[in-house]
Amino acid sequence: MSATPERIVTDSSPRLADSASQVSRDSASWIARDAATVWHPFTQHANWTDDRPVVVDRAEGPWLIDVDGRRHLDGVSSLWATTLGHGHPDINAAITAQLAKLDHSTFLGTTHTPGIELSEALITLAPKGDGPELTKVFYAGDGSSAVEAALKIAYQYSTQTGHPRPKIVRLDHAYHGDTLGAVSVGGHTLFHDAYKPLLLDTIGISSPGDRALGDDRNAIAITELQSVMRRTGDQVCAIIVEPMIQGAAGMLDYQASFLRAARELADTYGALLIFDEVATGFGRTGKMWAADHAGIVPDLLTCGKGITGGYLPLSAVLAAEHVYEAFLTRPGDPTPRTFFHGHTYTANPLCCAAALANLRVMGEQDVIGQAARLGERLTKLLEPVGAKKNVVEIRQLGTMVGVEIAPVRDRTGFAVCQAARERGVWLRPLGDTVVLMPPLTLGDDETDLLVGALTEAIDEVAA
Ligand code: PLP
């Protein structure tokens, strides 16, 4: 399989650079202007211009097109979000139609039809199985703000149903976002240690996906969770996990039995179970929710990213009825039980319209089935990659893939991504784990290109 992207065409502008390692004058000028005024997320600006960032001009399907007209296969769905690829006509049309009717109206004290319809659709799609029925939707903006809302709901729930429980149980290596509550329940040392003095009271336990714990990792994590809950369960308002796979930890997949144990322990000790499905939701793992792999339902489920097909910022917390009911003021209550939380753009109608169109397309075009087939195809194509000497491990659940590369130099993962970029594929690593998280609807040719470019890039960096 050649990774030469024959489908990658560039326009005939004389400003074009010859290869991705060169930047045209046009591109260079945008990068210089960017460096003068922009501060990018998760970015070390000391290297920024040397790393020659892609200056994205437009996008079509799975392709990003830069200001030089060069096409890059978007191998990580623009940070795990664009589940249907870019520029889907149905989502574009839904946003445009909504724009003509209502651009924005607050959700504090008024409501609107796309917000109501989307809640109905999400509740219909919510995971079913062991656990409570999820019956209510609380909207937020980004994944982090959904996590933030879920944590506050869990703490306030404890104060309104028994006694204040200030502790939250979290997994090592977890990532739940970058606002302070979300950082508090993260366990990724690089992202979280710097903010330690500012964080909430949490108890970290081993991750069932942590390879450093060996083959017993699942049992180790369950035993630790049992012992933490036995010791301090009455102080714990919530157990929060990314179900089945910890994405930003480097795609650490784990067994469903851990989720079953977490459900049982949360019930036994009166804590809420939170599943963070911001990365895993909306078909990413080959099922609608990662929870569906286990048949376990949490008390609170956070989702974001793919909810709008990755078009506009929207996230949500799906809540069980018993949680919602604890927030209803009763006669004689000294203070209202209201959840005092919300944002200016909560449930923005354009975002809700995009999400409704996305869910419609997902249903009509069996996008979950497509995702499951894409996952299988990736597994097959990646088999020889996993056999390479310099590949430590390939971890995967559906279309979430992490290819861990043995370090051979500084920023090995980044070097592999740069080499893939030369072959027309844009990727972003997590340390030395190269992530593949393409649109769920990626075609066979593009999938071949994705894996072919990665294969050649790994070989190039090893050499
Ligand atoms: N939770 C999980 C599991 C995530 O993977 C992410 C982002 O990658 C977040 C929360 C934060 O989402 P956002 O970046 O939209 O704030």
Side-chain angles (χ1 to χ4, degrees), residues 168-220:
I168 303 158
V169 175
R170 58 168 179 84
L171 296 183
D172 284 351
H173 311 298
Y175 178 76
H176 296 287
D178 300 325
T179 49
L180 282 177
V183 168
S184 302
V185 290
H188 193 299
T189 45
L190 189 61
F191 302 161
H192 302 121
D193 277 8
Y195 311 102
K196 254 188 182 152
L198 306 181
L199 304 183
L200 303 174
D201 189 0
T202 65
I203 305 170
I205 63 159
S206 293
S207 158
D210 188 347
R211 273 39 183 185
L213 300 175
D215 291 345
D216 292 338
R217 53 188 174 267
N218 204 56
I220 291 170

Side-chain angles (χ1 to χ4, degrees), residues 14 152 165 190 237 287 364 442:
K152 284 176 69 178
R165 296 165 171 244
L190 189 61
C237 67
K287 293 189 186 283
E364 286 169 4
L442 196 71

Side-chain angles (χ1 to χ4, degrees), residues 45-77:
H45 275 271
N47 311 324
W48 175 240
T49 44
D50 291 347
D51 288 347
R52 300 170 284 106
V54 177
V55 185
V56 179
D57 183 44
R58 56 192 199 279
E60 285 166 11
W63 298 98
L64 299 171
I65 301 158
D66 68 22
V67 288
D68 298 326
R70 187 181 295 116
R71 295 163 76 90
H72 309 256
L73 187 70
D74 185 355
V76 290
S77 303

Side-chain angles (χ1 to χ4, degrees), residues 259-322:
L259 298 178
R260 239 165 265 133
R263 178 67 278 171
E264 280 169 24
L265 287 162
D267 289 343
T268 305
Y269 291 94
L272 297 185
L273 181 61
I274 305 173
F275 281 179
D276 178 356
E277 295 245 19
V278 168
T280 49
F282 302 102
R284 216 357 115 192
T285 67
K287 293 189 186 283
M288 179 56 87
W289 308 103
D292 294 334
H293 291 272
I296 302 291
V297 183
D299 302 288
L300 296 169
L301 181 150
T302 57
C303 57
K305 289 194 188 278
I307 188 171
T308 59
Y311 279 58
L312 290 170
L314 181 72
S315 64
V317 183
L318 310 193
E321 190 66 18
H322 72 99

Side-chain angles (χ1 to χ4, degrees), residues 122-123 126-138 149-150 153-154 157 161 263 267 271-275 296-302 316-328 330:
L122 289 170
I123 289 309
K128 314 281 182 286
D130 290 344
E133 206 183 331
L134 299 174
T135 55
K136 293 291 187 294
V137 177
F138 186 90
I153 289 171
Y157 174 86
T161 54
R263 178 67 278 171
D267 289 343
L272 297 185
L273 181 61
I274 305 173
F275 281 179
I296 302 291
V297 183
D299 302 288
L300 296 169
L301 181 150
T302 57
V317 183
L318 310 193
E321 190 66 18
H322 72 99
V323 178
Y324 173 78
E325 278 181 356
F327 285 76
L328 300 177
R330 289 146 211 204

Side-chain angles (χ1 to χ4, degrees), residues 22-182:
Q22 295 172 307
V23 288
S24 70
R25 249 186 302 130
D26 215 16
S27 206
S29 135
W30 280 112
I31 293 169
R33 285 170 64 181
D34 173 290
T37 55
V38 182
W39 190 346
H40 286 263
F42 276 88
T43 297
Q44 177 42 255
H45 275 271
N47 311 324
W48 175 240
T49 44
D50 291 347
D51 288 347
R52 300 170 284 106
V54 177
V55 185
V56 179
D57 183 44
R58 56 192 199 279
E60 285 166 11
W63 298 98
L64 299 171
I65 301 158
D66 68 22
V67 288
D68 298 326
R70 187 181 295 116
R71 295 163 76 90
H72 309 256
L73 187 70
D74 185 355
V76 290
S77 303
S78 291
L79 214 55
W80 314 358
T82 50
T83 42
L84 301 181
H86 300 270
H88 194 289
D90 291 22
I91 301 186
N92 287 357
I95 295 170
T96 312
Q98 183 57 45
L99 192 56
K101 271 177 77 180
L102 172 66
D103 43 16
H104 179 63
S105 151
T106 178
F107 228 46
L108 282 68
T110 60
T111 191
H112 50 66
T113 54
I116 298 165
E117 284 179 347
L118 180 58
S119 298
E120 291 168 350
L122 289 170
I123 289 309
T124 305
L125 293 171
K128 314 281 182 286
D130 290 344
E133 206 183 331
L134 299 174
T135 55
K136 293 291 187 294
V137 177
F138 186 90
Y139 291 111
D142 291 288
S144 308
S145 55
V147 169
E148 209 71 26
L151 298 177
K152 284 176 69 178
I153 289 171
Y155 174 70
Q156 193 172 336
Y157 174 86
S158 79
T159 67
Q160 293 174 177
T161 54
H163 60 276
R165 296 165 171 244
K167 295 183 191 296
I168 303 158
V169 175
R170 58 168 179 84
L171 296 183
D172 284 351
H173 311 298
Y175 178 76
H176 296 287
D178 300 325
T179 49
L180 282 177

